[in-house]
């Protein structure tokens, strides 16, 4: 009699679909409870006049797309969107990505205490609680006893009042640079030192080395980093801790605007509609990056 081969396993671990599903089920339940259900609830609220108090709280009415039409025609929404785009461009694209790469590039060949100290300081800003970081920046930028005014010799300069957007951009850049630094530090390990040495011997400047040798090899990492930090920054509420959207709504980015409308103002339906518009903008940002990344992969083929 010939030997019969054992039946092929359904998966490499040999768990079978039923037991494998049992391991995945808790994660699926958490995803449904904390992502799917809130998303569906937000969509529902966006087409109602739901409020925190009053008759609309007890008996909300479906108003269709009225909230979306009102949001798109709201000058305050337009201003918040423009401020948010400035915030993303300034603190994520130029700030965190640029500073993170500069630090990673400067430290790529360094060893010893200097590198460890710099990395520790950058990581410290990232791992500290947001409330602690906000308190430190308020103390730094204080008009009367601020450290920055003392260093620059500009007593009485009210940075948070006179330059609110610049303040929150610098604050978020300092707070979030660590992620970009670590990602770029890992990406630069994929650039062969021999390629850089050859470029130097050929007389290439630092910028030419970056343009012709480094960036083509780490372009995927750059796009991934920009996608992640752009989405995180677009939805970041932390600037509220140092300016509360003021003065006179001059630093009221969209997450702060939604908070004031939905929770402080009690207009949950209108706030939910704006949140959904933010989701659509996030999707557009993500699609732009993903399409660029997909074109890069096609070019490599």
């Amino acid at each position: 009699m010939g030997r019969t081969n054992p039946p092929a396993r359904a998966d490499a671990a040999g768990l079978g679909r039923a037991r494998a599903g049992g391991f995945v089920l808790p994660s699926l339940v958490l995803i449904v409870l904390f992502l799917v259900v809130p998303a569906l609830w937000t969509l529902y609220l966006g087409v109602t006049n739901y409020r925190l108090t009053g008759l609309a709280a007890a008996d909300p009415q479906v108003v269709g797309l009225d909230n979306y039409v009102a949001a798109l025609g709201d000058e305050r929404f337009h201003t918040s969107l423009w401020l948010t785009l400035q915030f993303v461009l300034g603190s994520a694209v130029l700030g965190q990505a640029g500073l993170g790469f500069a630090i990673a590039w400067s430290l790529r060949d360094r060893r010893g205490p200097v590198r460890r100290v710099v990395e520790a300081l950058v990581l410290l800003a990232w791992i500290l609680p947001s409330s602690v970081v906000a308190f430190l920046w308020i103390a730094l930028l204080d008009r009367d006893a601020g450290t920055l005014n003392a260093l620059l010799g500009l007593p009485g300069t009210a940075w948070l009042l006179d330059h609110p957007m610049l303040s929150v951009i610098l604050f978020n850049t300092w707070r979030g640079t660590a992620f970009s630094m670590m990602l770029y530090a890992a990406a630069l390990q994929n650039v062969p030192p021999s390629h850089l040495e050859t470029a130097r011997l050929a007389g290439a400047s630092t910028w030419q080395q970056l343009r012709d040798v480094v960036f083509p090899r780490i372009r995927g990492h750059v796009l991934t980093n920009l996608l992640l930090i752009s989405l995180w920054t677009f939805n970041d509420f932390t600037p509220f801790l140092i300016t509360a959207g003021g003065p006179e709504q001059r630093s009221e980015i969209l997450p702060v605007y939604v908070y004031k409308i939905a929770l402080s103002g009690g207009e949950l339906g209108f706030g939910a509609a704006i949140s959904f518009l933010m989701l659509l903008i996030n999707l557009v940002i993500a699609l732009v990056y993903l399409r660029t990344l997909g074109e890069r992969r096609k070019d490599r083929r």
Side-chain angles (χ1 to χ4, degrees):
M1 292 181 63
R3 296 180 59 184
T4 59
N5 295 326
R9 292 182 175 180
D11 55 86
L15 295 175
R17 293 184 178 179
R19 283 184 291 178
F23 282 103
V24 175
L25 183 60
S27 299
L28 294 178
V29 171
L30 292 175
I31 290 173
V32 170
L33 287 178
F34 294 104
L35 290 178
V36 177
V37 172
L40 295 176
W41 179 246
T42 300
L43 286 176
Y44 165 73
L45 290 180
V47 296
T48 69
N49 63 347
Y50 200 100
R51 293 185 59 90
L52 283 176
T53 59
L55 296 177
D59 185 24
Q61 303 297 318
V62 175
V63 296
L65 299 178
D66 289 355
N67 288 327
Y68 295 95
V69 174
L72 293 175
D74 184 9
E75 185 63 29
R76 187 176 171 188
F77 172 76
H78 299 160
T79 302
S80 292
L81 176 58
W82 172 240
L83 291 174
T84 304
L85 295 177
Q86 293 181 41
F87 183 55
V88 172
L89 179 63
S91 68
V93 177
L94 298 178
Q96 295 178 28
L99 182 59
F101 180 82
I103 296 174
W105 176 257
S106 301
L107 298 178
R108 70 190 188 283
D109 295 326
R110 288 185 176 271
R111 298 293 184 269
V114 174
R115 175 170 182 165
R116 290 194 292 269
V117 169
V118 173
E119 290 178 338
L121 290 175
V122 177
L123 287 171
L124 185 63
W126 194 39
I127 64 177
L128 281 175
S130 298
S131 56
V132 176
V133 176
F135 174 80
L136 293 174
W137 273 80
I138 291 174
L140 174 71
L141 302 175
D142 185 70
R143 173 191 294 180
D144 299 319
T147 308
L148 184 59
N149 284 345
L151 292 174
L152 298 179
L154 299 173
T157 303
W159 295 97
L160 295 177
L161 297 177
D162 299 336
H163 310 283
M165 277 306 299
L166 177 61
S167 298
V168 297
I169 286 173
L170 293 177
F171 157 76
N172 195 60
T173 299
W174 182 82
R175 187 174 66 95
T177 295
F179 178 82
S180 297
M181 180 195 72
M182 292 188 295
L183 189 147
Y184 288 139
L188 289 174
Q189 299 299 315
N190 296 325
V191 180
S194 59
H195 291 191
L196 292 174
E197 184 63 26
T198 301
R200 280 194 293 268
L201 293 175
S205 64
T206 301
W207 166 244
Q208 290 172 329
Q209 294 174 42
L210 292 174
R211 183 192 63 191
D212 300 329
V213 179
V214 176
F215 287 140
R217 296 191 67 91
I218 67 169
R219 185 182 175 193
H221 298 83
V222 172
L223 292 174
T224 300
N225 178 61
L226 288 175
L227 171 61
L228 293 175
I229 62 176
S230 295
L231 295 179
W232 292 341
T233 304
F234 192 92
N235 298 284
D236 191 9
F237 183 72
T238 311
F240 179 84
L241 298 176
I242 63 173
T243 64
E248 299 177 349
Q249 302 167 3
R250 288 166 54 201
S251 63
E252 189 180 69
I253 57 177
L254 281 176
V256 177
Y257 175 49
V258 171
Y259 168 79
K260 290 184 175 181
I261 290 294
L263 298 180
S264 298
E267 300 181 50
L268 286 180
F270 189 50
I274 299 172
S275 297
F276 185 72
L277 291 176
M278 289 178 61
L279 173 63
L280 295 180
I281 297 171
N282 281 323
L283 288 176
V284 171
I285 294 173
L287 289 175
V288 169
Y289 281 125
L290 291 176
R291 181 172 182 178
T292 305
L293 186 60
E295 290 176 352
R296 170 185 173 271
R297 290 174 177 172
K298 289 181 181 178
D299 293 339
R300 292 181 63 181
R301 293 174 185 174

